[in-house]
Structure formats: C-alpha cells, structure tokens
Amino acid sequence: MDKKPNPNPDWDPRSEAVLKDQIAAYDDMRHRCPVAHSEYLNWSLFRHEDVMRALLDHQTFSSAVSSHPSVPNGMDPPQHTLYRRIIEPYFNAERMREFEPACRAIAAQLVDGLPESGETELMSALAEDYALQVQSAYLGWPSDLHEPLRRWTRKNHEATLARDREAMEEVAFEFDGYIRELLAVRCTAGASAPADLTTSLLRERVGERLLNDEEIVSILRNWTVGELSTISASVGILAHYLASHPALQQQLREDTSLLPAAIDEILRLHAPLISNRRITTQPVDIGGRKLDAGERITLLWASANRDESVFGDPDAFRLDRDPSKNLLYGAGIHVCPGAPLARLELRVLVEEFLCRVRRITTVPGKEPVNAVYPAGGFASLPLWIDRAGVECNAAASGG
C-alpha cells in the first residue's frame, strides 16, 4: 500500500526568523501548532506531554532511526537493554569521584588562562577547549586529537544543518577512522595498553562474545558527539546567564551547594541540546494529528522544557523545580547514561569559574550570536571577565 503524501508544511525550521532565535520560535510553535510538519524535521513535537509520551512508549515511537548502527541510542528493547547494561557502569559514582580531580585541574587551568581583565570571546577561549579536554581526559585520548576533533565537530554540525547526506557520511567515516586508530594501538599494545575507558571497552562482552569494533566505534561516537557539542554549549549558556544576572552570580559564588539545581534550571531555560529523533512503528494519533507508521519524529527538548502547563512562566528561574519534570537529560529507558559525567563537568567548571573570576558581565553594545540547529547555545559570546587579584585554592574551589 502506498504511503500517504506528507501534509503541507506547518513551518520552516531553517527560516531566518526561526534561526534568529530558536527558543522564541519553538515557544511560538508550542502554542500555535504543537504537533507540526516540516520538510526538514518531518513531524515535530513541542509540548512536554507529547514528548513524554514518545519517550515512554518505545513500542510505538522507536529509536531505530539511523541507517548506521547507533549503540545503544538507536536501539529498542530487548537489544537496547543488553548494551545499556554495559554502558551504565562507565558513569557510576565511583568513576565520577575518580575523575573529579583531573576534571578540576583542566577547569582551573583554562579559567586561569582567561584575561586578567577585559573582553573575551568565551566560546573559543573556554567552552570549546573545556569540552575537548575533559572528553579526551575521560576517555584516555591523546591531546593531539583535540584539534582534529574540534574541526570534526564543526564539519558535523554544518553537514547536519544542511542535511547533506554525502557530507554526513564523510564526516562519520572520518570520525570512525580516529577511533579505529585508537583501538588498533590498544590491540597492538596488548597487556601494556593504557588502562583507560577506551581500552576497557575492548574487553566488554554482549552475551557470549566481545563487542566488535563497529559497536565500540558507535558507542564512542555517541559519547563524543553528545559531549563535545552539549558541554561547550552548556558552558556558554551558563556563563551568559550568570553574566546577565549578577545577583544570582554572587549568590552561587557564596553558596556553591546551590549549583547542581541552578545549572539544571538554567539549562532548562535555554537548551544546549535542541532535539532528538524517533520513528513511528504503527499509526498513532498525537496532539490531534494522525501519523502513519514509518513517520519520522523530532522531539523538541528546547520547547518541551519550557512548557507553561508544566513549568508556569518558562523564563522564571526557580531552584525548587521538580527534577523529574526537567528533560535536560531525557527520560524513560533512554535517559542519558552520561548525565552524571555532564553534571560533574559543569559543576566543577562553574565552581572554578566563580572562585577564580571576580566578576563576569555582558559587553554593552555587543550581543552574542545564537547557534543554529542542530546546535544550541551561542556561536559567539563576548563577555567581560575580571580576574584581577583573585586568589583561589583547592579548598575554596571544592577540591
């Protein structure tokens, strides 16, 4: 039976108006057309309840959306369950405690490298470098991969925005080459291979067999793609919000115990990760729209996390939010396994930043440049940094 033709587009996610301010555009769509079709994103869900329905009903809304293996993000149970059991221990509390000193050292060094006093473009001066360095340190990757990964992240974003499938294939192949080289070095080294997470994956089993190279590459690709883009975006969003809200900046400087809730709330307001994907396995009615089996769905985290029916005024900053409602790290069986690592990295960086920087403010007359889909946050973020005369020791910074 022939598939029904798609309806006329309800919106254009790549229009100038949308890309100028994605968050505002998604807020508008949530009110005007909460289940919307476009040529670029297919069906998009903007409301919290509709996104939650797709997250929790994995039998109707499948995660198997990619033509390439995606472990375990692009899998459904029972296959997903097998791989998830392998991955979750890599982000347990013990590993977080072990990694925190290295994470803190990277954060302190980069913050100390900022100007003593003056304007700086924070994305290139701190956010991107921090994401690259902490990701590489956590996985045991050499520093000479930092620049190739930086260039690769940008190419991946450009190809995804353009939906250039040939370019996306080339970018994926390039990344796979980096990982396969790292795996080959470790296989050759045998018992003397570095005792890091990448080496550890070579010893993991699914069922009765070892993970194969394709599965390991997919796992590391998923960890890296998510980490590099969302951590750097998060750093920019947090820095901009604190610069724009000096009273909160000082409150958190005086009481860092508030940071975990504050960070999650700021990133609810302005999403670092814009969306995720699903595909329908059967006909379904959602938000008053009838979708056939095989329809591709885009879950708009950046809208669902600002839904007034759940959060009231979406722009109101509150430290007493119900954390179970915040979809910053997803929900259901696919909730982000790396959330403990992301939370550690962001908390540590903000602790070191507030300890080592006397004041951070926006720059009059210089507005940040918003990132565009699929990225969140800022492409460019001019801020005024004042570190003059600040002394910070390990005890003061939480170390």
Side-chain angles (χ1 to χ4, degrees):
M1 184 175 180
D2 292 337
K3 189 176 177 180
K4 296 178 184 177
N6 282 326
N8 292 327
D10 297 306
W11 70 309
D12 179 3
R14 290 188 291 182
S15 70
E16 183 178 348
V18 170
L19 296 182
K20 182 178 180 181
D21 190 340
Q22 293 179 119
I23 302 300
Y26 301 155
D27 284 348
D28 175 64
M29 288 300 297
R30 186 172 62 252
H31 303 140
R32 183 167 59 83
C33 187
V35 178
H37 188 268
S38 66
E39 293 182 5
Y40 182 58
L41 293 181
N42 299 291
W43 290 99
S44 296
L45 307 184
F46 293 89
R47 293 187 303 199
H48 192 279
E49 68 171 304
D50 294 333
V51 169
M52 282 297 295
R53 179 180 170 188
L55 292 175
L56 300 180
D57 182 4
H58 51 79
Q59 293 182 331
T60 303
F61 299 92
S62 169
S63 295
V65 296
S66 176
S67 58
H68 298 282
S70 181
V71 183
N73 310 42
M75 295 175 169
D76 299 315
Q79 186 184 35
H80 168 268
T81 309
L82 294 174
Y83 289 92
R84 182 79 183 213
R85 287 175 185 156
I86 295 170
I87 288 167
E88 285 185 345
Y90 284 85
F91 303 98
N92 62 25
E94 181 181 358
R95 286 186 183 271
M96 296 305 100
R97 285 192 298 270
E98 291 174 352
F99 182 59
E100 181 165 346
C103 180
R104 192 173 296 281
I106 292 169
Q109 181 182 34
L110 287 173
V111 174
D112 284 346
L114 295 173
E116 280 287 311
S117 182
E119 181 182 334
T120 186
E121 199 291 291
L122 201 85
M123 298 309 296
S124 59
L126 177 65
E128 293 176 0
D129 283 339
Y130 184 65
L132 282 165
Q133 291 190 32
V134 292
Q135 172 71 355
S136 296
Y138 193 69
L139 295 176
W141 293 357
S143 60
D144 59 12
L145 258 184
H146 291 173
E147 284 308 310
L149 284 174
R150 189 196 305 274
R151 292 192 297 270
W152 176 85
T153 301
R154 290 173 179 164
K155 285 189 285 187
N156 184 56
H157 170 247
E158 291 166 0
T160 304
L161 175 63
R163 283 290 170 94
D164 183 335
R165 297 204 174 276
E166 183 176 345
M168 290 166 72
E169 293 277 352
E170 291 176 359
V171 168
F173 183 77
E174 178 184 340
F175 181 85
D176 291 1
Y178 297 141
I179 305 304
R180 291 183 189 279
E181 184 175 340
L182 291 169
L183 297 179
V185 167
R186 284 157 174 76
C187 287
T188 301
S192 61
D196 56 33
L197 271 68
T198 303
T199 299
S200 181
L201 284 171
L202 287 165
R203 303 180 183 128
E204 294 287 359
R205 292 181 174 272
V206 55
E208 298 300 317
R209 65 170 178 81
L210 291 168
L211 290 176
N212 59 43
D213 282 1
E214 187 175 35
E215 291 164 333
I216 296 173
V217 167
S218 177
I219 290 169
L220 291 172
R221 185 194 307 118
N222 283 332
W223 287 355
T224 306
V225 171
E227 185 81 359
L228 294 182
S229 58
T230 56
I231 291 298
S232 61
S234 295
V235 170
I237 292 166
L238 293 167
H240 181 259
Y241 196 87
L242 294 178
S244 304
H245 297 81
L248 176 63
Q249 181 185 148
Q250 190 57 32
Q251 180 185 12
L252 296 177
R253 188 175 277 112
E254 294 170 358
D255 185 358
T256 57
S257 70
L258 299 176
L259 277 175
I263 289 170
D264 278 11
E265 175 68 349
I266 292 169
L267 298 180
R268 178 197 67 78
L269 294 166
H270 189 164
L273 179 64
I274 299 297
S275 68
N276 205 286
R277 299 182 296 161
R278 295 291 188 273
I279 187 169
T280 57
T281 61
Q282 58 191 2
V284 62
D285 188 322
I286 185 165
R289 307 295 292 262
K290 297 184 183 299
L291 279 61
D292 291 329
E295 295 284 3
R296 293 186 174 273
I297 310 289
T298 303
L299 312 180
L300 269 300
W301 310 119
S303 172
N305 248 0
R306 294 173 53 82
D307 192 327
E308 294 83 353
S309 68
V310 176
F311 301 104
D313 179 358
D315 290 309
F317 175 89
R318 287 176 47 187
L319 291 172
D320 61 347
R321 299 280 187 193
D322 178 353
S324 69
K325 302 294 185 183
N326 192 332
L327 299 179
L328 176 60
Y329 296 103
I333 63 170
H334 286 282
V335 66
C336 179
L341 177 62
R343 285 191 164 109
L344 168 70
E345 291 170 349
L346 295 174
R347 173 182 60 79
V348 164
L349 179 64
V350 177
E351 283 176 354
E352 294 299 323
F353 196 90
L354 292 176
C355 175
R356 296 169 185 275
V357 173
R358 182 188 307 280
R359 186 171 59 101
I360 173 175
T361 62
T362 55
V363 180
K366 290 194 175 181
E367 294 296 322
V369 177
N370 290 329
V372 296
Y373 191 92
F378 303 102
S380 174
L381 179 59
L383 293 176
W384 186 274
I385 305 291
D386 182 7
R387 295 195 304 110
V390 173
E391 293 185 6
C392 186
N393 55 44
S397 61

